[in-house]
Amino acid sequence: MKLLVALEMSGTKVAVVGGGRVGLRKAHKLAAHGAIVRLVDPAAVAWPGHEVRRRRYQLGDLDGCSLAFACTGVHSVDAAVASEARARGIWCNRTTGEGSLDMVAQARAGEATFGVHAGGDARRAVLLRDRLRDAWPEIEEGVPDSVPGTEQMRGVNPQPPVLVVSGFGPFPGVDDNPTPAIASEAASRLPWLDVRVVELPTVFGQAWPILQAQLDAIGPRLAGVFALGVANKRRQVEIETIAFNRRAMDRRDAAGQLADGIAVRSGEAPERRVMFDAEGFAEHLRELGHPVRTSASAGDYLCNEVFYELLAWQRRTGSRGPAGFVHVPALASLSLGPSAAAI
């Protein structure tokens, strides 16, 4: 089932295999919309600003391209182009057989652009397009030039939501903290999000201000934030559910200093709970095969301090995305890959 979309073609590299009448028509249409075309055909001629390969199609001709057009008219060749496109995870338009991408019959009227897809019947799509274009003045009549509430969207490129994942540096007893590496590996598995990885110093009074500055700078695009900490005695990933307004007075931080007071935030609530369904998260992850459970104590060291500050910040700002703390075991207990997959 096909979904009509509008693609920004400026600077997009597109492979067109086959330089006959159909292939050239599509190549020039793509170029007119800003695409950089790689044309593959034995009879192709030089085309300034674009790449020409004067030979038959070879495996690898789609390398570096975002879209492919198989226009040779030879079923076996077009099928081979489509097969390479599938292997590379890119859309392919075919003149023979079914492709994953269809061109639409398109027309422009003022600031409006409309297109017609007729289930693969190009001739019918053109006839419908022409009928729409002829009737456009009547269709457009009474429609305001600017619909209230949409003006601010003009010229704005949609930006993906931001997820912040923090880790800690080394501290006494942990010379090589794995959480920054786990956070970075997790980020690489979330290409649909703008993931910001932050490494925090394991120092009382310094870690939270760094994380808070990152969160405040993101604003409404923030989709969620999870701080990671390592716990050598734990054997699986644990989602913390409660932060306590207390700090141990006998544990030194990475700078060799003790906490300057037992309370994380003087005069505030003795504990704060996460505002998302932590047990629901954990249950779903277990169903997917990840070793995850919830925990009711993040300890009384820097992990708990950042966790408490984070939940207090969420309540002050009204941030709606999930905010929480996750403990991961040392890499000797659970390797980086499984930890990052769960995160």
Side-chain angles (χ1 to χ4, degrees):
M1 189 172 183
K2 300 290 175 66
L3 173 70
L4 289 180
V5 297
L7 300 178
E8 174 56 65
M9 297 304 299
S10 299
T12 302
K13 184 169 286 188
V14 180
V16 178
V17 181
R21 179 177 58 84
V22 174
L24 286 179
R25 185 179 74 244
K26 292 184 178 182
H28 284 285
K29 184 175 183 179
L30 291 162
H33 284 77
I36 300 172
V37 178
R38 175 185 294 161
L39 182 61
V40 182
D41 189 273
V45 298
W47 189 1
H50 301 275
E51 180 185 355
V52 172
R53 297 184 176 182
R54 297 187 62 186
R55 55 168 172 74
R56 298 181 185 277
Y57 162 76
Q58 295 178 3
L59 184 65
D61 278 337
L62 308 189
D63 183 36
C65 293
S66 300
L67 300 173
F69 289 78
C71 307
T72 67
V74 179
H75 191 277
S76 59
V77 178
D78 288 351
V81 175
S83 177
E84 182 182 350
R86 281 194 301 273
R88 293 181 178 274
I90 63 177
W91 287 322
C92 180
N93 173 267
R94 289 182 62 180
T95 56
T96 57
E98 179 70 16
S100 57
L101 172 69
D102 289 345
M103 298 285 274
V104 301
Q106 179 178 305
R108 187 169 180 83
E111 292 188 358
T113 300
F114 56 88
V116 178
H117 182 268
D121 188 334
R123 291 175 181 265
R124 186 165 185 266
V126 169
L127 291 173
L128 290 170
R129 186 270 319 271
D130 291 345
R131 184 171 295 184
L132 269 175
R133 182 170 53 193
D134 293 341
W136 193 255
E138 182 179 347
I139 294 172
E140 195 176 33
E141 186 177 354
V143 178
D145 292 336
S146 179
V147 177
T150 62
E151 299 90 340
Q152 70 274 18
M153 296 303 294
R154 291 189 177 185
V156 177
N157 292 324
Q159 295 178 304
V162 178
L163 174 67
V164 175
V165 184
S166 71
F168 280 110
F171 58 93
V174 177
D175 295 330
D176 185 15
N177 195 323
T179 53
I182 291 171
S184 296
E185 176 63 21
S188 72
R189 300 171 185 235
L190 300 168
W192 58 91
L193 291 173
D194 179 356
V195 183
R196 313 282 177 86
V197 176
V198 185
E199 183 172 342
L200 305 176
T202 317
V203 178
F204 290 116
Q206 292 187 20
W208 167 246
I210 292 173
L211 182 56
Q212 181 184 0
Q214 291 282 338
L215 302 179
D216 289 342
I218 293 167
R221 287 181 58 207
L222 182 66
V225 51
F226 284 94
L228 309 184
V230 63
N232 287 332
K233 295 182 179 180
R234 306 199 192 193
R235 294 294 178 264
Q236 61 188 47
V237 175
E238 297 187 0
I239 304 173
E240 300 297 345
T241 58
I242 306 174
F244 295 96
N245 191 7
R246 66 171 185 243
R247 292 184 291 197
M249 299 300 293
D250 58 351
R251 292 192 64 185
R252 297 185 181 275
D253 60 20
Q257 302 297 315
L258 295 173
D260 59 3
I262 194 169
V264 177
R265 296 185 67 85
S266 181
E268 296 202 8
E271 64 181 48
R272 296 194 183 278
R273 296 176 180 268
V274 293
M275 298 173 66
F276 65 95
D277 182 9
E279 184 53 50
F281 271 40
E283 183 178 359
H284 178 64
L285 288 165
R286 287 193 296 270
E287 290 173 354
L288 297 175
H290 299 295
V292 178
R293 69 181 181 186
T294 57
S295 165
S297 175
D300 52 12
Y301 194 46
L302 265 295
C303 294
N304 178 74
E305 176 178 304
V306 168
F307 187 23
Y308 188 91
E309 292 277 20
L310 175 60
L311 296 184
W313 171 88
Q314 184 182 34
R315 284 158 176 78
R316 289 195 309 272
T317 62
S319 179
R320 296 184 178 182
F325 197 97
V326 181
H327 265 118
V328 298
L331 293 187
S333 300
L334 187 65
S335 65
L336 187 150
S339 294
I343 298 302

